[in-house]
Each structure stands twice: as C-alpha cells, then as structure tokens.
C-alpha cells in the first residue's frame, strides 16, 4: 500500500519560512517524480513544483520561483519543500504527489499523478 505523508505545516508570519516534508512508503521511490500542489481557500488545487527522480531537475510555478525549493533524498524516501519569504497568498493546504517517471503527459495537471498525500495546512499571517 502506497502512502505519502506530509508534515511540517503550520502558522508563520509573512516573510517567514517553513519546510515541508513528504515521506513515501510502499513504492520504489526513485521510479517517481515528486510534485507539490496546493489548494487555497475557495480555490482549485494548483501546481507548485516538481522534482525529477534523480533530483537533478526541478520546475516551479512562476509565483514561487526564487522563494520555494524542492529537494529529495532517495535513500530516505523523502521529498522536501523549502518555502522562504512566505506571503499571505501562500496560505493553502499543501499536497505532495508521486508521478511515474515513464509518464509523458503534462506534470501541471493533478490528473497526471499516481499517488497523493493527505495534505498539510500552511497559514501565513500578514
């Protein structure tokens, strides 16, 4: 049974930082690219970023570029989302998701991920 478990969410003031983690089990972690999505109040789930299986390649949504960094540790089956210079508009539930590396469809779509975590709340106060 595949499980993705996020942690590290919380309440932070604008300008602060948080580091989210996602622990994966039940899958061959290096066979998956790992994505992060978020869903703010009253909004749909949106792409935040993704890291390739080897960790050598990342891609980010424009609004988080330069502030968020995704990393992964294949030996520990974990992926992290380092969030700096947080803004109130970053408030959302953050989800990690796993996507098989042999997929060729777009990684921006929630439909194109194979497994999801339950999410962790991030609240940024102004």
């Amino acid at each position: 049974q595949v499980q993705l478990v996020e942690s590290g969410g919380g309440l932070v003031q604008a300008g602060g930082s948080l580091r989210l983690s996602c622990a994966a089990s039940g899958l061959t972690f290096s066979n998956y690219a790992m994505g992060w999505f978020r869903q703010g109040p009253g909004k749909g789930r949106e792409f935040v970023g993704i890291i390739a299986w080897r960790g050598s390649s990342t891609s980010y949504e424009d609004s988080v570029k330069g502030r968020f960094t995704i990393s992964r540790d294949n030996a520990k089956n974990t992926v992290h989302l380092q969030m700096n210079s947080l803004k109130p508009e970053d408030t959302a539930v953050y989800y990690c998701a796993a996507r098989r590396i042999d997929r060729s469809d777009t990684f921006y779509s929630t439909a194109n991920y194979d497994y999801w975590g339950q999410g962790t709340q991030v609240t940024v106060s102004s």
Side-chain angles (χ1 to χ4, degrees):
Q1 180 183 359
V2 175
Q3 281 193 310
L4 302 178
V5 180
E6 299 96 336
S7 61
L11 174 64
V12 64
Q13 287 189 330
S17 298
L18 278 176
R19 187 184 192 224
L20 306 185
S21 297
C22 173
S25 60
L27 76 171
T28 303
F29 191 62
S30 58
N31 286 348
Y32 290 82
M34 297 300 296
W36 285 94
F37 286 75
R38 64 185 180 185
Q39 187 164 11
K43 298 181 179 180
R45 197 170 296 190
E46 66 175 5
F47 174 79
V48 172
I50 189 170
I51 187 166
W53 71 274
R54 195 180 294 178
S56 55
S57 176
T58 54
S59 181
Y60 300 95
E61 191 268 330
D62 285 347
S63 69
V64 307
K65 283 181 182 176
R67 300 189 298 124
F68 290 12
T69 303
I70 301 174
S71 61
R72 66 188 291 163
D73 184 339
N74 287 349
K76 296 182 178 180
N77 286 11
T78 57
V79 61
H80 305 285
L81 177 64
Q82 177 67 43
M83 305 186 293
N84 299 328
S85 302
L86 282 161
K87 305 175 181 180
E89 51 263 44
D90 294 318
T91 294
V93 177
Y94 283 72
Y95 299 88
C96 70
R99 165 188 167 87
R100 292 191 315 274
I101 58 175
D102 59 356
R103 296 188 76 132
S104 58
D105 44 18
T106 175
F107 53 70
Y108 293 102
S109 172
T110 59
N112 299 334
Y113 285 77
D114 301 288
Y115 303 105
W116 289 85
Q118 83 289 348
T120 186
Q121 176 71 47
V122 171
T123 303
V124 184
S125 63
S126 58

